[in-house]
Amino acid sequence: GVLLLLFIIISLLAFSAEARLTRISAGPATIIDLPAFGTTGPYLKIAGTYEGELDPADPRNAVIADIDLAPQLGGKVRYTSTFFILRPADLGSGNRKIFYDFGNRGNKRILEWFNDGTETNDPSTAAHFGNGFLMRQGYIVALSGHM
């Protein structure tokens, strides 16, 4: 579980070789078991934050708006963001594929759009997971973004 989480976060930050994670914090995983998940079975919901730093002088980071105006510590710009993961409790029952989405202003809409679920930023009920399409297919659903 923790190795998967680290892999996802590091993959998300791979845009810059100079980006470095400095801290990862996650709350306890919550088990969600709904009939709509079919043979994939129960899912774990994991949420937390990660912190890192990057070099504003690196040309690969020039695409970040106003990075040159951000406060620096030791020549690095520090950042904090959130992550949210839904994964099969038994990874062997999943399809071993990640469906990654980024939260727009912290909004999680992927279950609403793909599962016909009701709008929520903390999916936990049958209504939130709708028809369970992504779960029945065995996807790991991962989101990141400032929330």
Side-chain angles (χ1 to χ4, degrees), residues 26-42:
T30 303
I31 296 176
I32 301 172
D33 190 8
L34 297 170
F37 297 170
T39 59
T40 306

Side-chain angles (χ1 to χ4, degrees), residues 2 16 22 24 57 67 70 74 84 86 88 90 114 116 122 124 139 147:
V2 173
S16 173
T22 58
I24 299 172
I67 192 168
F84 182 84
L86 295 167
D90 173 11
F114 281 82
D116 291 327
D122 187 22
S124 54
Y139 282 99
M147 297 180 197

Side-chain angles (χ1 to χ4, degrees), residues 32 37 43 45 84 86 99 101 108-120 122-125 127-135 141 143:
I32 301 172
F37 297 170
Y43 262 68
K45 178 171 69 170
F84 182 84
L86 295 167
F99 195 105
D101 189 26
K108 299 175 181 79
R109 298 294 177 249
I110 205 67
L111 298 178
E112 180 183 351
W113 296 334
F114 281 82
N115 287 16
D116 291 327
T118 59
E119 182 179 324
T120 183
D122 187 22
S124 54
T125 69
H128 297 151
F129 284 90
N131 61 28
F133 174 76
L134 290 170
M135 285 68 231
V141 176
L143 297 100

Side-chain angles (χ1 to χ4, degrees), residues 21-103:
L21 287 176
T22 58
R23 183 179 168 177
I24 299 172
S25 300
T30 303
I31 296 176
I32 301 172
D33 190 8
L34 297 170
F37 297 170
T39 59
T40 306
Y43 262 68
L44 292 181
K45 178 171 69 170
I46 306 164
T49 61
Y50 59 93
E51 299 173 16
E53 59 184 25
L54 51 88
D55 184 353
D58 187 319
R60 293 171 289 190
N61 295 327
V63 299
I64 301 171
D66 297 327
I67 192 168
D68 54 327
L69 301 176
Q72 296 181 24
L73 184 61
K76 305 288 183 186
V77 172
R78 297 193 177 204
Y79 59 89
T80 301
S81 194
T82 58
F83 66 88
F84 182 84
I85 299 170
L86 295 167
R87 73 160 182 89
D90 173 11
L91 287 173
S93 68
N95 67 13
R96 301 185 187 276
K97 295 179 180 159
I98 295 175
F99 195 105
Y100 172 72
D101 189 26
F102 55 92

